[in-house]
Amino acid sequence: MPYLSIRGARLYYEDTGGSGEPVLFSHGLLWDSRLFHRQVEALRGHYRCIVYDHRGQGLSEAPPGDSVIGLRTVYEDAVAVIQALGLAPVHFVGQSMGGFVGLRVAARHPELLRSLSLLDSSAAAELPLTLARYRLLTALTHWLGLRPVVDRIMSLYFGRTFMRDPDRTAERALLRQQLVANPRAVWRAMQGVIHRRSVEGELHRIVTPTLVLVGDEDAVTVPEVAERLHQRIRGARLKRLPCGGHMCILEQPQAVNVALGDFLEEVERTSLQEEVLAVG
């Protein structure tokens, strides 16, 4: 299996190859690179698609010991992945936790990105009441694994429309099984995510073309959070999906594919126009 040696850890990745512009996908907490398989299938004919697993999640190694895997570490990993694979400037697509990473890359290393897509994500730190609830979920995961809390996590991650749809019962069961399969050690990544610092004060630095996508039923990063990102990132586009929860990418993959495809085409078209004007 393909691995990158990144800053003392081996990170699992997959690369479709090809001559198209590169797109790097960064997954959400408790998931892995499989999260994007429908987006990769939709885009690989025109783009070079790269997915990877965050340190301590999926097939990537966790650092030794029992320490928290902080978001700063995960962000620095992403920068190293882009550099190691020679992807810059890359289209960066981040879902939830992956969006936390993408925001930091865009604000601190704008030269690495061609565009930024934020799927159900946020620049803010957790609010005190929410943080207390997440600390409890993390502590239970640390000692007992995800099984005792998986139903609560499902209700947070997925919108009510998806959760109540009788035609998607089998799909929900498979996703629940995938969450339960996380090892207890995933609490280290959970702890790092819930205690992340706000980067709202850095949003003015982002000049990368940005798409902000959110589901109307997202209870984790509510639509108002996406509205704030849209307002504070210069020139950002906002796309709201009806009947989608925090995992729009799984609940409405086709709608996400259309939104992503349209945005990437727009970025390419604008870049080409700017190149023509520069030559002229």
Side-chain angles (χ1 to χ4, degrees):
M1 292 188 290
Y3 283 89
L4 286 171
S5 294
I6 298 292
R7 305 171 57 248
R10 294 172 70 241
L11 302 187
Y12 176 80
Y13 78 104
E14 296 179 9
D15 187 344
T16 64
S19 59
E21 291 188 357
V23 182
L24 181 65
F25 296 88
S26 183
H27 65 81
L29 180 65
L30 304 181
W31 305 98
D32 55 40
S33 52
R34 292 174 294 175
L35 182 67
F36 298 106
H37 77 276
R38 292 180 181 175
Q39 286 66 51
V40 170
E41 286 303 311
L43 296 175
R44 66 184 301 165
H46 190 70
Y47 299 93
R48 174 188 172 191
C49 297
I50 304 98
V51 296
Y52 73 104
D53 292 346
H54 296 309
R55 181 181 298 233
Q57 297 186 69
L59 296 176
S60 289
E61 291 181 347
D66 207 30
S67 60
V68 170
I69 302 174
L71 197 66
R72 178 173 180 174
T73 295
V74 181
Y75 142 70
E76 290 174 346
D77 284 346
V79 170
V81 167
I82 293 170
Q83 294 171 337
L85 294 176
L87 303 178
V90 65
H91 297 288
F92 192 101
V93 180
Q95 194 276 329
S96 191
M97 175 187 179
F100 305 158
V101 173
L103 283 165
R104 286 157 174 77
V105 178
R108 301 167 189 174
H109 292 279
E111 75 282 359
L112 298 181
L113 301 190
R114 185 177 297 278
S115 74
L116 174 64
S117 295
L118 304 170
L119 315 182
D120 295 288
S121 197
S122 168
E126 297 294 351
L127 297 173
L129 180 58
T130 306
L131 179 58
R133 293 170 178 164
Y134 289 167
R135 278 175 173 165
L136 177 58
L137 289 175
T138 301
L140 289 170
T141 301
H142 183 188
W143 295 109
L144 302 172
L146 275 171
R147 188 174 296 279
V149 298
V150 68
D151 291 329
R152 176 57 178 155
I153 291 173
M154 289 284 293
S155 69
L156 285 170
Y157 272 174
F158 297 97
R160 58 185 177 275
T161 300
F162 176 81
M163 291 297 288
R164 296 173 181 174
D165 188 345
D167 293 332
R168 305 186 78 172
T169 301
E171 189 176 351
R172 288 194 298 272
L174 287 173
L175 293 169
R176 186 181 187 278
Q177 183 179 356
Q178 187 174 340
L179 287 170
V180 169
N182 277 284
R184 282 195 301 120
V186 78
W187 75 269
R188 300 168 66 187
M190 295 171 69
Q191 189 84 338
V193 167
I194 67 174
H195 287 286
R196 71 189 182 278
R197 295 181 178 180
S198 169
V199 291
E200 290 182 310
E202 299 183 50
L203 295 182
H204 68 280
R205 300 180 190 169
I206 297 179
V207 294
T208 303
T210 301
L211 169 68
V212 179
L213 184 148
V214 67
D216 279 342
E217 298 178 2
D218 190 341
V220 178
T221 52
V222 296
E224 290 75 18
V225 170
E227 294 279 0
R228 289 201 297 273
L229 282 177
H230 174 232
Q231 293 165 6
R232 298 181 66 178
I233 297 176
R234 190 183 319 162
R237 293 81 159 163
L238 176 65
K239 178 69 175 179
R240 291 182 61 157
L241 296 184
C243 304
H246 189 61
M247 303 303 298
C248 277
I249 197 166
L250 295 173
E251 297 168 70
Q252 298 193 39
Q254 183 56 36
V256 171
N257 290 349
V258 170
L260 272 178
D262 289 348
F263 172 65
L264 294 177
E265 286 181 13
E266 179 186 351
V267 172
E268 282 191 85
R269 186 165 55 250
T270 301
S271 297
L272 182 59
Q273 290 170 350
E274 289 174 350
E275 290 175 9
V276 171
L277 289 175
V279 172

